[in-house]
Amino acid sequence: MSTDVSADTAVLKALKRIRTPQKQRNREFWLLLFAVLIAGSALTLVQLGALGTVDPVILAIGGGLAVLAFALHIVLRVVASDADPFVVPIATLLTGLGIAMIYRIDIAKSFTGWDAYSTKQLAWTGISLAGAIAAVILLRNYRVLFRYTYIFGFAGIVFLLLPFVPGLRIPDANAAVWVSLGGAFAFQPGEIAKICLAIFFAGYLVRTRESLTSVGTRFLGMTWPRMRELGPVLVVWLISLGIIVLQRDLGTGTLIFGMFVAMLYVATGKTSWVVIGLGLVAAGVALATQILSYVRGRFINWLFLFDPNQVDPERAGYQPMQGLFGLAHGGMLGTGWGQGRPWVTPLAHSDYIITSLGEEIGLIGLFAILCLYMVFVSRGVRIGLAGQDDFGKLLAIGFSFTIALQVFIMVGGVTRLIPLTGLTTPFLAAGGSSLVANWLIVALLLRISDGVRRQPRVVIG
């Protein structure tokens, strides 16, 4: 009798394991459908609010991108059935809301055709989704990336140095972070570099974690590392400072160093690394403020924005002031899609897209967007914590922290919580290289989640 009960229990567990992936994908389908409907509704409301009519062409293009999103869903059903069901719908919804806002600003400025930022963003969205599909199909086992740890590290440094190659850098750019191929195609190699460096950091920390955690000096209740272990942190710190100095890119330098310190803490569990990281950040900020005029100017704008004796309201202070006025104009509920004046703020489609959205969908709408980011990051952290191998754990948490840090830097910058830096708000802001990089992060998170959840299944037949 007991043998029969045990056999029945084993069969039920096997059936449950077989049904779980299908249930995950069904959940993803309905969430993705909801995301597509919300994004399409936002695009329609923009047209009705700003134009008083509906343009079927833009909706047809948006529908084509929705087809690509569902194509990714179908691919996941076939090759990664255990992948997390929340990541793709959230990324799709954020991308769709960003396109709607960018399109709204194009309408106000009468940008059409290839001159319109929304047209370029739609094209880049198609490329990003296609790249994510290709990455999910081609990368069957994310652990293979561990073999090429140092190659990815070298590639990341090369990408960061590309803007200094003669003939590639765009000369009139404010920061030396853009490269151009033939004058017709421009991208920001630093966005791809952050993915390569995240893979390198994860692989390096897995290889050296034992020495990082087992040795050191006990002081002030914490174990402090030896100089031998501290060396890599100092190297990354110097690379980050070099990016800030040579490329005039405060955002990327902060992002790379912050990502490394976060992954270092996860790998070792030592609070001392966080203290060291914060100390190096403070030292780097103090040094950059003293020797770099543009960094000092950003801190002056942050601290004395409404002091006309410190900041010229018609020049350096104009953009941040207009962004704050736009947020105030939106209030709690917003003016409504197509009813505000977000284009008054310079770079409202990219650096200040958060204030543009805040004006038209209000503080409640912005809170909903931040909740989407919070769920996205929490799912990424959960993927990492569920993993059995240290490499997948560090990689998933590293990617999640990268997205979280970008959101914090941009939202904090436009709301004057911290000084503004030159990064893009993930998935929302106009920018092709950023969109491609973030969707590649989505693909890698999907592959990691499928790998850590996949278990041997009992085949009944």
Side-chain angles (χ1 to χ4, degrees), residues 18-364:
I18 292 173
R19 287 197 300 265
T20 298
Q22 189 69 19
K23 187 177 179 180
Q24 294 275 54
R25 300 278 65 80
N26 290 341
R27 180 182 299 171
E28 181 184 70
F29 173 83
W30 292 110
L31 289 173
L32 186 57
L33 180 62
F34 177 75
V36 168
L37 290 176
I38 293 296
S41 299
L43 202 57
T44 304
L45 290 173
V46 163
Q47 294 180 340
L48 291 175
L51 300 174
T53 184
V54 176
D55 182 6
V57 176
I58 192 72
L59 293 179
I61 296 175
L65 296 177
V67 170
L68 278 177
F70 279 103
L72 176 57
H73 165 75
I74 293 172
V75 168
L76 291 175
R77 281 185 178 272
V78 176
V79 302
S81 57
D82 284 295
D84 188 272
F86 294 93
V87 173
V88 173
I90 293 174
T92 301
L93 179 53
L94 290 171
T95 303
L97 293 176
I99 291 173
M101 192 69 250
I102 296 167
Y103 179 59
R104 190 270 173 275
I105 296 169
D106 283 340
I107 292 175
K109 293 189 174 184
S110 300
F111 290 160
T112 59
W114 283 106
D115 293 330
Y117 291 106
S118 57
T119 304
K120 298 174 184 176
Q121 192 75 353
L122 286 166
W124 278 112
T125 302
I127 295 172
S128 302
L129 284 167
I133 292 171
V136 169
I137 293 174
L138 297 176
L139 185 64
R140 292 304 180 98
N141 185 357
Y142 70 90
R143 295 177 184 86
V144 73
L145 301 175
F146 181 71
R147 302 177 189 172
Y148 307 103
T149 296
Y150 295 102
I151 293 178
F152 277 107
F154 177 75
I157 299 299
V158 170
F159 277 118
L160 290 175
L161 295 177
L162 277 182
F164 298 104
V165 176
L168 292 181
R169 177 183 173 181
I170 300 178
D172 57 347
N174 292 329
V177 296
W178 291 92
V179 298
S180 176
L181 300 178
F185 176 73
F187 75 101
Q188 192 172 346
E191 293 290 340
I192 306 300
K194 70 183 181 185
I195 297 178
C196 294
L197 291 177
I199 297 172
F200 166 70
F201 292 155
Y204 171 79
L205 291 173
V206 167
R207 286 179 166 89
T208 60
R209 187 181 64 171
E210 185 176 350
S211 62
L212 291 172
T213 55
S214 61
V215 294
T217 303
R218 192 75 178 171
F219 181 66
L220 295 177
M222 295 183 291
T223 303
W224 298 84
R226 301 177 305 180
M227 283 302 300
R228 182 185 306 174
E229 285 75 34
L230 188 61
V233 181
L234 294 176
V235 170
V236 175
W237 179 67
L238 290 173
I239 291 174
S240 302
L241 275 182
I243 293 171
I244 295 172
V245 173
L246 299 176
Q247 297 188 343
R248 297 173 57 89
D249 187 9
L250 182 62
T252 301
T254 304
L255 181 66
I256 290 174
F257 186 72
M259 175 177 62
F260 179 67
V261 172
M263 295 173 71
L264 187 59
Y265 173 72
V266 172
T268 62
K270 285 188 175 183
T271 310
S272 58
W273 286 114
V274 178
V275 175
I276 292 171
L278 292 176
L280 290 174
V281 168
V285 168
L287 183 62
T289 304
Q290 293 298 318
I291 65 176
L292 300 174
S293 59
Y294 76 94
V295 175
R296 184 166 58 252
R298 296 200 178 204
F299 272 85
I300 291 174
N301 284 357
W302 173 48
L303 296 172
F304 308 103
L305 179 61
F306 293 99
D307 184 354
N309 295 321
Q310 297 283 346
V311 179
D312 186 354
E314 299 297 327
R315 300 183 67 183
Y318 182 77
Q319 184 185 38
M321 283 183 182
Q322 293 301 324
L324 292 174
F325 294 155
L327 284 174
H329 185 211
M332 289 292 293
L333 300 177
T335 60
W337 286 104
Q339 299 295 308
R341 301 174 65 241
W343 67 89
V344 174
T345 305
L347 299 178
H349 62 287
S350 55
D351 289 7
Y352 273 75
I353 196 167
I354 286 293
T355 63
S356 302
L357 287 163
E359 182 173 355
E360 299 212 337
I361 64 177
L363 182 61
I364 293 177

